[in-house]
Amino acid sequence: MKRMLIGMIKFYRKYISPMKGTKCPYFPTCSQYGMEAIEKYGAFKGGILACWRILRCNPFSKGGYDPVP
């Protein structure tokens, strides 16, 4: 499960992300944050952290430095 989620993120970063015109307001980017969270905490907890980060990533967020806890 962990490898599948990381594979999906890598696919997104390689094929979908370059087509987007906007940039992530956070550092590290949401996809990098998701990969780090899944590698550190596993598929379930890391996936929840990644989803929470994606929900917070919107045009109205301040952004900035937000590392994986």
Side-chain angles (χ1 to χ4, degrees), residues 5-23:
L5 291 174
I6 290 174
M8 289 171 43
I9 292 171
K10 286 181 179 181
F11 177 85
Y12 167 80
R13 291 178 81 181
K14 186 172 184 177
Y15 297 107
I16 298 171
S17 183
M19 292 189 290
K20 288 178 40 181
T22 60
K23 300 287 183 194

Side-chain angles (χ1 to χ4, degrees), residues 22-63:
T22 60
K23 300 287 183 194
C24 183
Y26 288 103
F27 179 79
T29 63
C30 294
S31 58
Q32 182 64 35
Y33 181 94
M35 286 181 62
E36 290 177 16
I38 292 168
E39 287 174 355
K40 185 174 182 180
Y41 293 109
F44 184 73
K45 185 175 179 182
I48 290 172
L49 286 171
C51 287
W52 178 244
R53 169 70 175 271
I54 291 168
L55 290 173
R56 292 184 292 141
C57 188
N58 60 62
F60 304 108
S61 66
K62 288 184 180 181

